[in-house]
Structure formats: structure tokens, C-alpha cells
Amino acid sequence: MDDGLDDLIHLADPPGTSGHVVALRVLERPTAGGGFLDCEFVVSTGTVTGSFPVGITSFDLDRWEEALDSLAGHRFVSWLDSGRTVQLKIKPLASGAVGVSISDDPSSQVTVSLPMSPPADWIEDHRARLAKTRQVLSG
């Protein structure tokens, strides 16, 4: 990963639990005049590991901000649901857990769904990640 780049999304179970991780990694800075970030979703469990490439635009980042607002209100979200790329779904569950699903319907038709227990401050952490990613995209 390029120096200074971070994951836009990084959900991980606490150490000593299932070890589930879902991340959206920013792979490189956009080229001059480029309108998207080259990224990849990475899913890792005890039995499954996979990655799905995706290009993220400023429009997508705006929709992610709206998704974070919905999640803060304990509402289900579906992000990147245009049908052009991988789709992320997050459903709040009891006691702070979330159900996370990554679907690659346009390409491989693979879907991975898993329960996760992110830390209590995960939405605030993701707002900070979003702000940093917007700076990377704007150059």
C-alpha cells in the first residue's frame, strides 16, 4: 500500500475471537485528473479469504457517509448497490454486533456473509477514515 494510505473500511472482531476481518483497502493514489480510487475489498475468516477489486468515486464516498449516518441510527445499509461492482451490506444486530455481507454479483457471483463484533467506537473511526480518504481522492 502507498505511503499514507489507509483502509476506508476496517471491521475486525476483537483479538481472541473469530478473527473475521472485512476491509476496503485503498491501493494507490489517483492519477492526475483521475476520478476514482483503486481499492479492493478484503474478507478474511478462519476458512475463507478473498479479495474483490473496486473503484471508488467521490459519489461513492458521499453515499458511504450517508451509510454511516444510517448505521449510527442502528439501521441496515446497502452500499455500492448500483449493480456495477461489489456490494457491501451491514445490518446492526443485538448487543452491538453487525452482520456484514460482501456480494460480487457482477463478476464472480460470490457472496460472503459473517457476523462481527466491532469496537463500540467503530462508526466514529470510520468517519475519520472517510475524511482521510476524501483527502487522498482530492489530491
Side-chain angles (χ1 to χ4, degrees):
M1 191 165 19
D2 195 31
D3 185 38
L5 299 180
D6 202 356
D7 294 346
L8 171 59
I9 297 172
H10 189 92
L11 296 169
D13 279 332
T17 61
S18 71
H20 295 163
V21 176
V22 173
L24 179 58
R25 295 194 174 134
V26 178
L27 300 176
E28 59 185 68
R29 296 181 182 282
T31 59
F36 70 95
L37 290 170
D38 184 25
C39 300
E40 72 176 347
F41 272 106
V42 176
V43 179
S44 178
T45 73
T47 57
V48 174
T49 300
S51 64
F52 308 93
V54 62
I56 299 296
T57 66
S58 61
F59 177 81
D60 297 326
L61 295 178
D62 291 344
R63 299 299 73 80
W64 179 236
E65 181 175 24
E66 291 171 4
L68 290 171
D69 291 343
S70 292
L71 289 163
H74 303 287
R75 293 185 304 274
F76 168 84
V77 300
S78 179
W79 182 58
L80 298 176
D81 55 1
S82 68
R84 68 174 169 82
T85 189
V86 175
Q87 180 180 25
L88 171 70
K89 295 178 183 179
I90 302 176
K91 179 181 179 181
L93 303 172
S95 70
V98 293
V100 179
S101 178
I102 303 284
S103 299
D104 185 27
D105 292 335
S107 183
S108 68
Q109 299 182 352
V110 169
T111 299
V112 178
S113 298
L114 52 151
M116 301 188 76
S117 297
D121 67 343
W122 75 272
I123 293 175
E124 292 79 19
D125 173 58
H126 281 78
R127 289 186 195 282
R129 291 171 181 278
L130 173 60
K132 183 174 181 181
T133 302
R134 281 190 164 134
Q135 289 176 340
V136 169
L137 183 58
S138 66

